[in-house]
Amino acid sequence: MPKEHKKRGRREEKKRKRAEDVESSPSKKPKSDNIDEDDIHFILNAEDQHQEDEQYGRAGHTDTPFYGLLDEEEQEYFKRADSILEVNQFEDPQERDLFLANVYREAQGKELKLANSQSCSRLIERLILMSSPSQLKTLFQKFSGHFLHLVQHRFASHCCEALFLQCAPIVTQELTEVPADQQQEPENGEVLVSMENLFLYALNELGDNLGYLMTDRFASHTLRVLLAVFSGQPLKSDSTLSLLRSKKKENINVGGQDGEHSGDSFGPRIVPQSFGAAMDKTISSCAAGLDTTSLRALATQPLSNPVLQLFLEFEFLKARKQNEKQQDSLFLRLLPDNPPSQGTESASFINGLLYDSVGSRLLEVIICSAPGKTFKVIYKELLRDRLASLAKNDIASYVASKALERLGKEDLKCAMQQIRAELPYLIEHSRISIIKTLIERCHVRQVETDPLASTLKEIYSADGSNVVLSMLNCNTDDMNNISKDRQRQVEAQNNIKKHASLLARAMLNVPGPLRDLITSSLLELDTPLLMRLAKDRWASYLIQNSLTFSPDTKIFRRKIGQRFQGHILELTFDSVGSHVVDSLWTGTDDLLFLRERFAEELVRDEAEVRESLPGTAVWRNWKMDLYKRRRVDWISDANGPKGNGENSDRTVITANSSAKSSLDLARARFAASKKLLDAVKELLIPYIRAADEDAGTKASGHGLAVPGGGPRTVLVEHHKPQKLNQLLDLKFSDSGAGQEGLLQTIASILQYSVNTWDQGFLDKLYASTNAVGVVSELVLSVLNTNVHVFQVSPALTIIEKNTSRALANLFGLTGPHAGGISVQGGSASNTTSIVIARNTLFPDTKTEGIAASGRKLVLFTSAHGHYSIEKAAQMLGFGSSAVFPIPVNPSGSMDPSALSSAIEAAKASGSTPFYVNATAGTTVLGSYDPFPALSSICKAHNLWLHIDASWGGPAIFSPTHASKLRGSHLADSIAINPHKMMGVPITCSFLLAADLRLFHKANTLPAAYLFHTDSSSSPAEIFDLADLTLQCGRRGDALKLALGWIYYGSSGYAAQIDRAFDTAAYLAQRVADHPDLLLVSDNPPPCLQVCFYYAEHGQLGEDKEANNRVTERVAERLVREGFMVDYAPGERGRFFRVVVNRETERGTVDGLVGAVVGAGREVGEVEGGGVK
């Protein structure tokens, strides 16, 4: 629980004592805006009058209501809620929103208590930072009517500030769109109030008391925020923040959010016209109640001065927009003499403000914001002739700096001459800021700066000193050899050194003598001294700026960079010097030879670099992991997008290039291909190797963490689609990005893809391929041919016919016409089988369509069958209602008696059954249907029996598990996907049959322009394979199985499949034995899926939605640990479906079980614990 900050109030006992006395205390009415002489006395002594009330955490001269106290249980709840909000580690926005809603519900009716509570007001501020517009509006309404008291309270005033800042953007939003909370009709007779009106009510509530509130210790800050909102000023600019923020205010924030307030308030805001009118009224009321004397008293009062600044800025802005003078303005009341020439009271007042630490800030506003004519008069009459003397004063110099920012070129030349004469004094007394401003403005106005450079050089190198050392007041003695007290004295000079560093950096930005003065001084330093500067806080900033990439500083960057050679590690281990190393990355954009030498230094001591905190940042910023694994990609990145200059490795062929011979061109093409393949290999091999390295950690339940933009392991760096679209940043340009762009894109694809080579990928019915698979894909890409006619793909045609025949033989399809065809996936296999069955059983449908004969053809499939059957029915014109799902038994296999009854019922209803889809390995439980029984039924009704063995079919290779496919030879067609269980690259799918002549008869069409088969040939000898399928464009996918089969052999595949089934059985037993897991699958499971619930102590709740949430959130957490699993719906909610493969280790299974249980307990604590 976070500790209470004592500075937010006094002891609780004093608060309670004060609360008991509040009703008997004499009431004091707020001061009106009509301020007389007594009021002036009150204003000037406001600080003294606040001291007593501050003791009780409140201030003011109004009857302070008592809003009550929170009891101990309430305080404990809200403190705990505050600590949760401060950390802000919610799983997702939905969980956070639910928590906020619960806190708001508990706080209902207690908002004012909380805002006035020392211990709980922080909660209100954090709630405001995280609330939705509708919640903010509700809270605003709760505070309405109480703002006068709240803004004067020590704690509640902070809540009001936060509320005003967060609600300001909503006003702008309401001007352009109707908020979501106002698009619905209000309930329970509620009245919807716009945020605009709420702000107007708040200002109106405070309006009659502005004279007092301007000087109230707490209300003054809140009033500034409110006025800034009304004026439309950017609420997050540096100038506005310095005006609004109290130096003593505690910085309340929320984990994961930058700064105190997250509203979109960095730029000018659009505000309604009513805000301008309200500001006019407020300023007029204030002006009417104050004479010039009173107003000038307020101008030098610390609390009221910022309010006057806001009023004047608004007046000046309005005057510029309307292009007219305001007759009765606050400015004219403050400076009634027009113009304020020498000898007038206004001139005397301005002279007083110049040297007043508070009043000078108001004068800065006048200088910056006043209309041009007004500024020119003030500058000419009061500032111009004494600008040099003003620059020498520590307070007036800030006003002089603001004046310099508004001067034209000619006036600036004169000002430069004045200030130049005083440079020795200014530098001796550290009045450096105005010199910096002068240099910057001369650069903008294109005023010649050579005289300035000459004078600065004379001053800083008067005794032969180095200019940079003299500017930064650097002590060249070794800091390690002096006492701690002396070190603290040197550190006390940091403020001077800070401004000197800013001046030197401003000089660097001005090409010519000023920049040369700094760069030449840096190059004069010997390496040890340069290293000492690189590790000095303020001097380091100068060196970093000098390394900023610019074509005209290349020589300097090369020379200064060479000085750091051999010293990169020393800088890397230093918390300050490491930033110089980071700057060397950008500073060597066009100096690749230097960049590579620095990288070699970092690699030599990689272990030490990675162990240090600054070194870790340098390693990341220099992309050293990329340097080690894919140096070609690192170099491409180092070259940048320019693709030219001395480091470009592109060959540009011009019209004047000599003609090359055919042999030369062939060699060039070979070299280019080899270079690209080698470069891609440098990307692919580390990608695969990373998965192998990660395998050793899986038994612990945690994958290796990998640096990345999101939570990332070797398995995946996961991002949402919108974010990933930004990260990939795909560009399709006219000119092309060449090899560099290609390699960069491939690297990005690998980084943001799921690494299926990783042991933790247990999500889908496939996994990684193998070396043979990669080779087969490469061969197919090189061949790049279409296996539709024999003439263009002779070898691949023969390979497909032989491979499919051998595969059919394994299933017992051994007739003279047995064989198969490759198709583009399991769904395509199933669809093709339906077309063949329909055209074979009802030949007229091939030409006349399914409705020609008036038949209503229907199909039957397992209730656990693949969705592709229903999708095919839609595509082929049957409609999804023509597919009848057949119930399954408890193990997930189709019930033959249910199938028989369904066929009879369909016939009785007038439908025509023609097709039954059986499954070998269902997608969820992995069940195998009883094929002999189903075949008997199909034969009895003359139906086509198809077996979808896309997933479980490869078990036919294993003598141990081939019995699962007993009776498959009775089928009319079989689909099998070797790319699933066997590790053949995706896609590789076959449709097998006992008689290929049926395929030809069902699918052939006259296309003499393509198929040139001899009409005398038998269908069994068809070699134009596209004539057997629905496809014309056909990839030679059969090659991938053929090469794998040749490499591993049938026994090799059998061993892999047996190993996978053994691993699945091991996982099922581990789940069955664990007290917190509940097995859904059979034990052992029929295929490679293992389904189970997380159920603490073996007890699964009856709430399906709760079970769903637990399963989903555990699955999400597993990704962070390097595991990816799926889930499926069940009778008691969603359960896990883990799919092992031929490469899955038992250690991976052990680690997964531990990770699931660990994540389940974390989710259980969130679901059952926390703040309700």
Side-chain angles (χ1 to χ4, degrees):
M1 183 182 303
K3 294 182 178 179
E4 296 180 7
H5 293 262
K6 292 184 177 181
K7 69 175 185 178
R8 292 176 66 91
R10 303 296 181 181
R11 291 183 178 86
E12 191 68 30
E13 291 78 4
K14 290 186 178 181
K15 286 182 63 181
R16 290 176 179 171
K17 182 179 178 181
R18 181 65 178 178
E20 292 171 358
D21 297 339
V22 71
E23 291 191 9
S24 59
S25 64
S27 62
K28 299 180 181 180
K29 295 183 179 180
K31 296 284 183 179
S32 68
D33 287 335
N34 297 316
I35 300 178
D36 55 21
E37 293 180 0
D38 294 334
D39 296 331
I40 300 301
H41 175 76
F42 160 74
I43 291 171
L44 297 178
N45 296 277
E47 294 286 342
D48 298 332
Q49 295 198 19
H50 281 293
Q51 291 177 357
E52 180 181 355
D53 288 323
E54 177 191 348
Q55 176 180 356
Y56 303 103
R58 67 177 185 85
H61 287 257
T62 63
D63 290 328
T64 304
F66 177 57
Y67 295 111
L69 299 173
L70 298 168
D71 59 36
E72 292 185 1
E73 183 177 353
E74 289 173 333
Q75 284 197 28
E76 180 64 25
Y77 171 85
F78 289 120
K79 286 180 183 178
R80 187 178 179 190
D82 180 50
S83 64
I84 293 174
L85 289 179
E86 182 178 15
V87 176
N88 191 24
Q89 292 183 344
F90 297 99
E91 289 297 320
D92 48 49
Q94 291 75 20
E95 182 178 343
R96 181 197 62 207
D97 294 343
L98 180 61
F99 180 80
L100 289 175
N102 288 337
V103 175
Y104 265 110
R105 186 163 49 251
E106 290 292 333
Q108 189 170 7
K110 308 181 187 77
E111 295 88 353
L112 299 176
K113 288 184 186 180
L114 290 167
N116 285 270
S117 168
Q118 173 187 354
S119 59
C120 297
S121 62
R122 298 185 190 89
L123 170 65
I124 292 293
E125 290 192 63
R126 290 198 175 93
L127 273 178
I128 291 169
L129 292 177
M130 303 180 72
S131 294
S132 66
S134 60
Q135 290 170 331
L136 289 172
K137 191 174 293 187
T138 300
L139 186 60
F140 207 127
Q141 290 177 289
K142 297 288 186 181
F143 281 11
S144 289
H146 303 275
F147 278 120
L148 181 58
H149 307 295
L150 296 176
V151 298
Q152 297 178 71
H153 193 276
R154 183 167 191 172
F155 312 128
S157 61
H158 299 324
C159 299
C160 294
E161 288 181 36
L163 182 64
F164 293 155
L165 287 170
Q166 288 298 106
C167 290
I170 303 175
V171 176
T172 304
Q173 294 170 12
E174 289 181 346
L175 293 176
T176 56
E177 59 181 338
V178 179
D181 59 347
Q182 294 185 19
Q183 294 177 358
Q184 300 178 355
E185 292 294 328
E187 300 178 358
N188 302 324
E190 294 181 353
V191 178
L192 293 178
V193 182
S194 67
M195 191 62 76
E196 173 187 351
N197 286 333
L198 290 174
F199 268 109
L200 291 172
Y201 297 156
L203 184 60
N204 184 62
E205 184 180 344
L206 303 178
D208 292 338
N209 300 277
L210 286 180
Y212 168 72
L213 296 178
M214 286 171 62
T215 59
D216 183 87
R217 182 167 193 166
F218 305 119
S220 173
H221 294 288
T222 311
L223 183 60
R224 298 174 207 171
V225 173
L226 183 61
L227 295 176
V229 171
F230 271 80
S231 66
Q233 290 193 22
L235 300 178
K236 283 194 173 183
S237 67
D238 292 339
S239 59
T240 308
L241 284 177
S242 65
L243 187 67
L244 302 182
R245 181 176 293 168
S246 168
K247 294 181 180 179
K248 297 182 179 180
K249 183 182 183 302
E250 181 182 359
N251 185 21
I252 301 296
N253 52 33
V254 174
Q257 289 188 4
D258 295 331
E260 235 179 284
H261 306 290
S262 59
D264 183 17
S265 308
F266 285 96
R269 296 171 295 106
I270 301 174
V271 294
Q273 294 181 352
S274 60
F275 276 22
M279 280 291 287
D280 283 339
K281 180 181 177 182
T282 302
I283 295 174
S284 299
S285 175
C286 184
L290 295 170
D291 57 16
T292 299
T293 303
S294 304
L295 197 57
R296 289 177 178 177
L298 292 174
T300 56
Q301 209 278 336
L303 295 176
S304 57
N305 177 281
V307 179
L308 289 182
Q309 291 182 47
L310 287 168
F311 282 159
L312 287 179
E313 285 184 354
F314 180 80
E315 271 196 358
F316 291 143
L317 178 63
K318 183 180 178 183
R320 286 199 300 270
K321 287 181 177 180
Q322 297 179 354
N323 196 24
E324 63 180 19
K325 287 186 177 181
Q326 294 177 288
Q327 298 302 321
D328 190 23
S329 67
L330 205 63
F331 175 70
L332 292 179
R333 185 67 60 89
L334 188 66
L335 302 174
D337 299 300
N338 191 12
S341 54
Q342 286 288 356
T344 63
E345 287 188 5
S346 296
S348 300
F349 175 64
I350 290 177
N351 286 330
L353 292 182
L354 276 169
Y355 303 101
D356 187 275
S357 59
V358 175
S360 62
R361 297 181 180 274
L362 186 65
L363 186 54
E364 287 181 43
V365 171
I366 295 173
I367 295 295
C368 291
S369 304
K373 291 182 179 180
T374 303
F375 165 73
K376 289 179 180 179
V377 170
I378 294 175
Y379 178 74
K380 178 181 177 181
E381 294 289 334
L382 303 176
L383 304 179
R384 184 177 62 184
D385 295 335
R386 54 183 182 144
L387 197 61
S389 64
L390 294 177
K392 294 163 63 176
N393 185 272
D394 58 345
I395 295 175
S397 61
Y398 290 101
V399 179
S401 293
K402 295 298 181 183
L404 289 176
E405 293 177 1
R406 295 199 66 177
L407 294 183
K409 186 173 182 178
E410 295 304 321
D411 285 333
L412 193 59
K413 285 181 180 179
C414 297
M416 185 187 72
Q417 295 302 325
Q418 287 190 56
I419 295 175
R420 181 189 170 204
E422 301 296 338
L423 282 180
Y425 178 92
L426 295 176
I427 291 172
E428 181 184 355
H429 293 81
S430 302
R431 306 283 187 262
I432 296 175
S433 294
I434 193 166
I435 306 175
K436 169 180 169 289
T437 303
L438 178 63
I439 290 174
E440 290 172 341
R441 297 309 301 169
C442 286
H443 179 48
V444 171
R445 295 293 189 187
Q446 298 181 346
V447 175
E448 183 63 47
T449 56
D450 290 9
L452 276 177
S454 176
T455 305
L456 289 170
K457 183 176 181 180
E458 290 176 6
I459 296 171
Y460 283 118
S461 60
D463 55 354
S465 301
N466 179 277
V467 171
V468 168
L469 291 180
S470 182
M471 286 183 71
L472 298 178
N473 197 21
C474 291
N475 190 337
T476 58
D477 297 332
D478 193 339
M479 291 286 289
N480 295 323
N481 297 329
I482 62 177
S483 67
K484 294 293 184 183
D485 291 338
R486 176 58 181 155
Q487 287 187 29
R488 282 192 288 270
Q489 291 175 4
V490 173
E491 282 298 317
Q493 299 174 346
N494 271 354
N495 195 42
I496 299 174
K497 194 180 292 186
K498 171 185 175 181
H499 289 286
S501 175
L502 291 171
L503 172 59
R505 282 181 268 168
M507 294 168 66
L508 269 176
N509 292 330
V510 183
L514 285 172
R515 175 186 288 174
D516 295 341
L517 185 60
I518 300 299
T519 55
S520 60
S521 298
L522 287 173
L523 292 175
E524 288 172 4
L525 301 173
D526 57 27
T527 300
L529 191 50
L530 187 63
M531 289 291 295
R532 194 169 300 139
L533 290 183
K535 291 186 281 186
D536 179 272
R537 179 182 178 189
W538 297 112
S540 173
Y541 286 130
L542 175 60
I543 296 175
Q544 293 173 48
N545 274 48
S546 72
L547 291 169
T548 302
F549 177 82
S550 175
D552 56 352
T553 62
K554 183 175 181 179
I555 296 175
F556 166 76
R557 287 184 286 108
R558 187 187 72 235
K559 289 180 178 180
I560 199 77
Q562 288 173 332
R563 305 282 287 281
F564 289 117
Q565 279 186 248
H567 304 278
I568 291 298
L569 288 176
E570 181 183 347
L571 291 176
T572 297
F573 297 140
D574 187 83
S575 60
V576 175
S578 60
H579 294 290
V580 174
V581 181
D582 290 338
S583 297
L584 284 169
W585 171 263
T586 55
T588 55
D589 266 355
D590 53 351
L591 299 167
L592 181 59
F593 73 97
L594 266 181
R595 184 175 285 187
E596 288 187 287
R597 290 176 188 174
F598 295 152
E600 289 168 4
E601 289 188 51
L602 293 172
V603 168
R604 279 200 298 269
D605 290 279
E606 177 183 354
E608 293 183 35
V609 172
R610 286 181 176 272
E611 285 177 3
S612 72
L613 186 60
T616 302
V618 169
W619 189 271
R620 181 181 63 251
N621 295 335
W622 272 70
K623 308 175 185 179
M624 293 305 298
D625 287 323
L626 183 65
Y627 176 84
K628 286 186 61 183
R629 295 197 304 265
R630 304 189 293 273
R631 186 170 299 191
V632 173
D633 199 14
W634 186 87
I635 292 174
S636 298
D637 193 19
N639 280 328
K642 300 176 286 295
N644 51 29
E646 65 181 41
N647 299 313
S648 177
D649 59 358
R650 293 190 183 182
T651 301
V652 181
I653 301 176
T654 67
N656 296 326
S657 300
S658 57
K660 294 184 178 181
S661 66
S662 298
L663 181 59
D664 290 336
L665 291 173
R667 287 173 176 169
R669 185 166 63 178
F670 168 77
S673 300
K674 184 178 184 302
K675 180 181 179 181
L676 181 58
L677 289 174
D678 288 345
V680 172
K681 184 176 69 173
E682 291 296 320
L683 299 178
L684 296 179
I685 291 177
Y687 179 78
I688 298 172
R689 185 188 297 124
D692 295 337
E693 295 171 352
D694 189 48
T697 68
K698 281 294 190 278
S700 67
H702 304 279
L704 290 173
V706 176
R712 187 186 180 200
T713 61
V714 172
L715 177 63
V716 66
E717 178 180 331
H718 182 70
H719 297 282
K720 293 183 178 180
Q722 296 80 0
K723 178 65 173 177
L724 184 56
N725 189 47
Q726 296 175 358
L727 291 171
L728 289 176
D729 191 26
L730 298 176
K731 293 183 176 63
F732 305 100
S733 62
D734 292 336
S735 58
Q739 178 174 316
E740 298 173 10
L742 174 67
L743 294 176
Q744 186 66 42
T745 301
I746 293 173
S748 296
I749 292 171
L750 294 175
Q751 177 177 348
Y752 300 121
S753 294
V754 175
N755 191 335
T756 59
W757 297 79
D758 190 274
Q759 283 274 311
F761 182 71
L762 305 167
D763 190 286
K764 294 292 184 285
L765 305 181
Y766 65 89
S768 69
T769 184
N770 44 48
V772 180
V774 174
V775 170
S776 64
E777 287 283 9
L778 183 60
V779 171
L780 283 176
S781 296
V782 171
L783 292 175
N784 196 38
T785 190
N786 191 347
V787 191
H788 57 347
V789 294
F790 178 82
Q791 181 174 346
V792 298
S793 54
L796 292 179
T797 299
I798 297 302
I799 287 172
E800 180 170 335
K801 289 180 69 68
N802 282 275
T803 304
S804 58
R805 183 181 296 116
L807 199 55
N809 292 166
L810 286 178
F811 285 93
L813 307 176
T814 57
H817 304 295
I821 53 174
S822 69
V823 287
Q824 65 268 50
S827 296
S829 295
N830 294 339
T831 301
T832 304
S833 72
I834 296 174
V835 172
I836 295 172
R838 182 198 65 191
N839 292 353
T840 299
L841 297 176
F842 306 100
D844 58 327
T845 60
K846 185 176 179 181
T847 56
E848 304 300 326
I850 60 176
S853 61
R855 306 184 195 93
K856 183 181 179 183
L857 300 179
V858 295
L859 309 80
F860 303 88
T861 187
S862 164
H864 285 190
H866 196 263
Y867 76 93
S868 60
I869 300 300
E870 188 173 351
K871 180 68 71 68
Q874 295 176 358
M875 290 191 297
L876 299 175
F878 302 112
S880 57
S881 62
V883 180
F884 289 81
I886 305 303
V888 297
N889 59 29
S891 65
S893 298
M894 189 190 297
D895 183 354
S897 61
L899 172 64
S900 182
S901 299
I903 293 172
E904 294 291 349
K907 287 183 174 181
S909 67
S911 298
T912 303
F914 79 101
Y915 178 95
V916 174
N917 174 62
T919 308
T922 55
T923 53
V924 177
L925 295 177
S927 305
Y928 288 77
D929 289 339
F931 307 124
L934 300 182
S935 175
S936 298
I937 295 172
C938 289
K939 283 182 170 58
H941 293 279
N942 192 30
L943 307 184
W944 185 282
L945 175 62
H946 171 71
I947 297 178
D948 180 5
S950 299
W951 169 232
I956 199 70
F957 279 87
S958 166
T960 304
H961 298 283
S963 60
K964 298 176 185 292
L965 290 145
R966 185 174 64 86
S968 58
H969 66 287
L970 302 172
D972 295 292
S973 57
I974 301 173
I976 180 173
N977 287 2
H979 70 244
K980 292 189 174 180
M981 193 178 292
M982 299 171 69
V984 176
I986 296 173
T987 58
C988 184
S989 179
F990 291 88
L991 181 62
L992 310 175
D995 191 348
L996 277 184
R997 294 176 298 178
L998 298 178
F999 283 27
H1000 182 264
K1001 185 177 181 180
N1003 289 324
T1004 187
L1005 285 171
Y1009 64 89
L1010 181 62
F1011 303 123
H1012 308 309
T1013 304
D1014 188 350
S1015 58
S1016 62
S1017 300
S1018 67
E1021 296 174 338
I1022 296 296
F1023 290 96
D1024 291 343
L1025 299 183
D1027 208 16
L1028 302 175
T1029 73
L1030 302 178
Q1031 300 169 255
C1032 180
R1034 304 181 71 252
R1035 198 163 186 262
D1037 291 329
L1039 176 69
K1040 295 183 280 191
L1041 175 60
L1043 294 182
W1045 206 338
I1046 292 168
Y1047 185 87
Y1048 293 109
S1050 298
S1051 61
Y1053 273 135
Q1056 294 178 25
I1057 291 167
D1058 287 346
R1059 185 170 179 271
F1061 272 91
D1062 290 346
T1063 304
Y1066 176 75
L1067 173 57
Q1069 189 59 49
R1070 289 279 283 117
V1071 171
D1073 292 341
H1074 201 287
D1076 292 332
L1077 302 177
L1078 189 62
L1079 186 65
V1080 175
S1081 300
D1082 292 340
N1083 191 7
C1087 203
L1088 304 187
Q1089 306 103 299
V1090 179
C1091 301
F1092 59 93
Y1093 288 100
Y1094 171 77
E1096 193 169 358
H1097 306 307
Q1099 302 296 318
L1100 186 65
E1102 298 299 325
D1103 186 346
K1104 288 182 62 174
E1105 290 302 319
N1107 295 338
N1108 288 343
R1109 287 195 301 274
V1110 169
T1111 300
E1112 292 168 3
R1113 292 180 178 176
V1114 170
E1116 291 173 3
R1117 280 173 164 80
L1118 290 178
V1119 174
R1120 306 173 191 170
E1121 306 298 337
F1123 294 95
M1124 187 175 285
V1125 303
D1126 206 352
Y1127 46 81
E1131 293 182 358
R1132 303 175 69 181
R1134 299 187 182 100
F1135 52 75
F1136 299 107
R1137 186 198 69 169
V1138 178
V1139 187
V1140 302
N1141 58 72
R1142 68 198 189 288
E1143 299 291 344
T1144 306
E1145 303 284 349
R1146 290 200 173 191
T1148 300
V1149 168
D1150 294 334
L1152 173 67
V1153 170
V1156 170
V1157 172
R1161 288 170 180 166
E1162 291 179 7
V1163 171
E1165 291 175 1
V1166 174
E1167 289 286 317
V1171 180
K1172 295 183 180 178

